[in-house]
Amino acid sequence: MPLEIERKFRLTSFEPPETAVRQHIEQGYIAIKDDGTEVRLRRIGGRRVLGVKRGTAGASAVRVEVERELGEEEFAELWPATEGARLLKDRYTFASAGVTVEVDVYQGELAGLRTVEVEFGSVAEAEAFTPPDWFGAEITGVTAYKNQTLATRGFPAA
């Protein structure tokens, strides 16, 4: 089963480097369970993806993640089910501090929020990672900063 092992940080500012690859993401949630399981839809670039995530443990978020490509018609049929649980963001992907980072710059009601995530091959790698100063405060596992919470409850309280 494919695992997602990541750490997430809040940014106070961000200027994308020239090497960054930008992708616009429309994301909506079909189902969110109390145990953290989620079913989401994403339009990212020209791709349409149905994703399911479940589980979390330890200092780094460790979850099973399964994604499947959808056709435009399938996506269009499912997208209305995400009403009231959506977000928009631009994702910038580039190398920094010896790892690949993904910076999300949120739009719409979440404008002003910026986060950075790093995915790892193991929990040991995640725990050994020392983030650079520009990453800001760690928010791994903080419910208010999970995308499903941002999509349903909006900007986190200060």
Side-chain angles (χ1 to χ4, degrees):
M1 197 53 69
L3 291 180
E4 173 188 74
I5 303 167
E6 69 182 14
R7 290 178 62 187
K8 186 173 185 177
F9 303 82
R10 180 158 182 188
L11 299 178
T12 55
S13 64
F14 174 69
E15 187 65 37
E18 289 183 22
T19 59
V21 175
R22 178 188 165 271
Q23 292 184 298
H24 183 69
I25 299 173
E26 296 173 74
Q27 187 164 303
Y29 291 85
I30 294 173
I32 301 169
K33 294 179 66 177
D34 290 341
D35 68 359
T37 300
E38 62 187 52
V39 179
R40 74 171 183 215
L41 289 176
R42 263 190 180 170
R43 185 186 323 262
I44 181 167
R47 298 175 52 222
R48 293 158 303 279
V49 180
L50 173 69
V52 179
K53 291 186 180 186
R54 70 174 181 81
T56 185
S60 59
V62 178
R63 304 194 305 171
V64 172
E65 179 179 25
V66 177
E67 293 187 328
R68 296 289 181 258
E69 295 264 347
L70 296 177
E72 182 60 46
E73 188 174 313
E74 293 170 310
F75 186 90
E77 286 291 326
L78 292 172
W79 187 249
T82 67
E83 184 71 37
R86 297 178 183 162
L87 57 81
L88 297 172
K89 60 187 177 180
D90 285 329
R91 173 166 287 168
Y92 297 87
T93 305
F94 56 97
S96 178
V99 295
T100 299
V101 299
E102 296 177 334
V103 172
D104 288 338
V105 177
Y106 293 84
Q107 301 171 2
E109 294 177 11
L110 297 170
L113 178 61
R114 295 171 297 274
T115 63
V116 59
E117 293 181 0
V118 180
E119 291 194 20
F120 301 93
S122 70
V123 172
E125 286 178 29
E127 291 174 349
F129 178 69
T130 302
D133 291 339
W134 68 270
F135 272 27
E138 183 158 10
I139 53 174
T140 303
V142 177
T143 302
Y145 288 97
K146 291 184 178 198
N147 280 314
Q148 61 177 255
T149 306
L150 295 170
T152 56
R153 297 187 188 154
F155 209 95

